Amino acid sequence: MKKAVAVSSCVVVFAGIIAAQASPSRSLEDRKMLSVTIPFVADNGHGKPITGISSSDLSLFDDKQPVQRIMALRGAKEMPLRLGLLIDTSNSQGSSRLYAPGVKAAFDSLNQLLSGPDDKVFIMTFDSVPHGTGFMNRDEVVRARVNLRPGGAGAIYDALNLACTERMRTDSPEVFRRVLILLTDGDDNYSCVTRSEAIGAAQHSGTVIFTVSTGTYRGGDKVLEMIASETGGIAYSGLTDTDMPKVFAKIKTKIEQMYSVTYVPPESGKAGQFRSVELRITSDKKAKVYAPKGYYAASSQ
């Protein structure tokens, strides 16, 4: 059964969540140290994912300083998926020739994206107000019902903020792949939070955002490119209706090749302080890495 979520138009509560995630298998000494976990995907510069990455392949800088040490490197199979599908149902989608094919491709891809036994997804539609389900497994997705009829203003940033602060935040010691797929034209005309605040909510929660454009104007595509770039995702724009299945197949491949790296930063930042991250693959000079531009420091554990 669908579960509705509503946000009053201008009441926004930011809840900072801990970037560090302690692994139960680590030593007591390690658990006492403040660590940071960053998700990333790497490809060969032509879209083909790089597999078999090891810690020795990584060059990692935190706030422009080399990290103390890398504690863990995890592949996708070691991290259950927590996926959010966000669909813009505002007025502008009614005239978009890409909206219907995009929605169909998105739903067609869900069963393939939920490939692991503990993988879960929620679906959120939004116009001026977001409406979303709870997390669902593959069997529950089949029975989910959402309203996809376009109408109303568009509040993209409010929807992203809600998804990251209310769905993606967790106190679990387990490391997840937290991913949002955002289907929209990039035209926000109603949000109470800013684009920077929405991106910050994603960086607080360690959520990667892939964006798929249903628009035809450059301004909206540039917005979506910024959202994806800042959070470690990829923006897909300039599409035709026949491109949509291919785009979601590419996103599936990226999600299946996602890594996370846990490290000890050179120093502990003040709680809530934004710290930049630079990650490179030193073993392949042509490699392209998609990772968040930074994170917000947590309090000492």
Side-chain angles (χ1 to χ4, degrees), residues 2-281:
K2 185 176 75 170
K3 179 180 177 183
V5 179
V7 184
S8 61
S9 61
C10 283
V11 179
V12 181
V13 179
F14 273 98
I17 70 173
I18 297 177
Q21 301 184 59
S23 170
S25 64
R26 295 207 299 263
S27 69
L28 177 61
E29 178 184 356
D30 281 351
R31 292 200 299 269
K32 287 181 179 178
M33 301 180 73
L34 183 64
S35 61
V36 175
T37 297
I38 296 292
F40 72 95
V41 175
D43 66 37
N44 65 354
H46 300 284
K48 184 177 180 180
I50 298 175
T51 59
I53 296 173
S54 67
S55 298
S56 61
D57 295 319
L58 303 180
S59 170
L60 187 53
F61 286 76
D62 181 298
D63 225 24
K64 301 183 179 180
Q65 301 179 61
V67 304
Q68 288 192 44
R69 64 189 177 97
I70 292 175
M71 300 170 67
L73 179 66
R74 300 173 182 84
K77 292 182 179 179
E78 301 173 83
M79 301 179 289
L81 178 63
R82 293 296 180 265
L83 174 67
L85 174 60
L86 274 60
I87 301 174
D88 185 347
T89 56
S90 64
N91 264 328
S92 62
Q93 298 306 298
S95 59
S96 171
R97 58 181 174 77
L98 298 175
Y99 175 66
V103 168
K104 183 180 186 304
F107 278 92
D108 287 347
S109 71
L110 285 183
N111 277 342
Q112 295 178 331
L113 286 165
L114 301 178
S115 58
D118 194 32
D119 293 347
K120 295 182 179 180
V121 64
F122 69 90
I123 301 169
M124 181 178 289
T125 62
F126 62 91
D127 41 44
S128 58
V129 177
H131 301 277
T133 70
F135 274 110
M136 302 176 289
N137 58 31
R138 291 180 64 177
D139 293 337
E140 292 168 327
V141 168
V142 176
R143 300 189 297 271
R145 296 292 179 267
V146 294
N147 181 8
L148 296 169
R149 182 178 299 172
I156 300 171
Y157 309 144
D158 285 353
L160 286 174
N161 178 60
L162 180 68
C164 292
T165 59
E166 295 297 327
R167 290 290 186 272
M168 292 304 186
R169 60 174 298 187
T170 178
D171 295 324
S172 170
E174 189 170 10
V175 178
F176 297 100
R177 287 171 291 161
R178 297 187 183 91
V179 178
L180 295 181
I181 302 175
L182 174 62
L183 183 70
T184 180
D185 59 9
D187 182 16
D188 188 303
N189 55 19
Y190 201 79
S191 285
C192 293
V193 303
T194 65
R195 180 170 64 235
S196 294
E197 288 170 331
I199 290 171
Q203 292 169 332
H204 266 293
S205 60
T207 301
V208 175
I209 303 175
F210 293 90
T211 64
V212 181
S213 176
T214 59
T216 57
Y217 69 103
R218 184 58 181 155
D221 290 346
K222 289 181 70 174
V223 167
L224 298 181
E225 288 167 8
M226 179 180 294
I227 291 171
S229 175
E230 291 291 326
T231 61
I234 300 172
Y236 296 91
S237 60
L239 306 173
T240 67
D241 53 354
T242 57
D243 288 331
M244 287 298 183
K246 301 172 188 176
V247 164
F248 280 91
K250 289 179 181 179
I251 292 174
K252 173 181 177 289
T253 299
K254 297 295 185 185
I255 292 174
E256 290 175 341
Q257 299 297 335
M258 189 172 287
Y259 289 87
S260 75
V261 57
T262 300
Y263 65 89
V264 179
E267 59 185 13
S268 299
K270 295 180 181 178
Q273 175 191 16
F274 182 80
R275 295 178 66 87
S276 64
V277 172
E278 183 181 351
L279 177 62
R280 294 194 299 267
I281 306 294

